[in-house]
Amino acid sequence: PLEDLTLGFLRLSSLTGTDVVANITNVGRVYGDWGVKAEDQLATQDKLFRAWQESGVPIDQLTGSMVQYGASLRGLGYSFDDALAMTAKWNEEGVNTELVMGGLRKSFAVFSQEFGPNAQAEFQKFMAQIAGADTPSAAAQIAMDRLGVKIGADFASRFCVTSSVSAWKRRPPAGISNVPVSTPSASRTA
């Protein structure tokens, strides 16, 4: 219900020390961009809170990346949970997330142009080639051949460790639903 969602925003803002109005705006953009149904919005708040809690990446940064790269990520077959886990984990590790996500965006454009409706399947084959490379440098070469030197090497290095993203996603949930509400100031900023 709406009351639970409102309390969720109050909790999220209180616990993260961020502005409740900004969180409503930013998280609302995520809901819209990813097509999050009303009945799933509270669970999505919990996922964003958990990503912040586990990674330390600010909520506005997480939501910004999820919206900025959402269309490309969905086009390549990534779920909301996969995209959030990648964004949080890579930021936590100090990865140049903009570069890697830019690589995903470029991949979407390249594969869509070249393969049309088969882009997602062909991208998965490309990712399997990277994952199956004998060495990290061989994986980088595969990615650089397709995406260019600037993006390819960083792109491949991130996707050689996709199992660590899966492990990150399996961490126990730490939702905000049961946290007591303290009302943050609407003018409070991160």
Side-chain angles (χ1 to χ4, degrees), residues 115-172:
F115 300 108
N118 297 322
Q120 196 175 95
E122 293 299 322
F123 177 74
Q124 294 306 317
K125 289 178 190 176
F126 170 66
M127 295 304 292
Q129 287 178 322
I130 290 172
D134 292 334
T135 64
S137 58
Q141 188 61 54
I142 293 167
M144 288 186 297
D145 288 346
R146 175 64 76 170
L147 302 174
V149 174
K150 182 177 179 183
I151 293 174
D154 280 336
F155 184 85
S157 71
R158 286 300 96 205
F159 287 99
C160 284
V161 294
T162 53
S163 61
S164 66
V165 171
S166 296
W168 193 93
K169 284 174 37 184
R170 287 191 303 271
R171 291 178 180 176

Side-chain angles (χ1 to χ4, degrees), residues 66-94:
M66 294 296 290
V67 171
Q68 183 176 0
Y69 300 107
S72 298
L73 292 167
R74 288 188 302 278
L76 293 171
Y78 289 101
S79 68
F80 178 86
D81 291 347
D82 289 335
L84 183 59
M86 287 187 299
T87 300
K89 178 157 183 35
W90 293 341
N91 275 291
E92 177 184 36
E93 294 173 346

Side-chain angles (χ1 to χ4, degrees), residues 9 13 18-27 184-188:
F9 277 115
S13 299
T18 54
D19 180 63
V20 69
V21 174
N23 285 336
I24 291 169
T25 301
N26 294 334
V27 174
S185 167
S187 62
R188 189 182 208 177

Side-chain angles (χ1 to χ4, degrees), residues 8-73:
F9 277 115
L10 291 172
R11 287 182 184 111
L12 179 68
S13 299
S14 176
L15 293 168
T16 61
T18 54
D19 180 63
V20 69
V21 174
N23 285 336
I24 291 169
T25 301
N26 294 334
V27 174
R29 289 181 64 215
V30 169
Y31 293 159
D33 188 69
W34 283 86
V36 177
K37 296 177 185 172
E39 61 267 16
D40 298 328
Q41 290 179 353
L42 190 58
T44 301
Q45 275 183 0
D46 280 346
K47 291 174 185 179
L48 288 164
F49 171 74
R50 182 176 153 243
W52 166 79
Q53 185 181 45
E54 294 289 329
S55 69
V57 179
I59 293 291
D60 63 337
Q61 190 174 340
L62 289 170
T63 57
S65 290
M66 294 296 290
V67 171
Q68 183 176 0
Y69 300 107
S72 298
L73 292 167

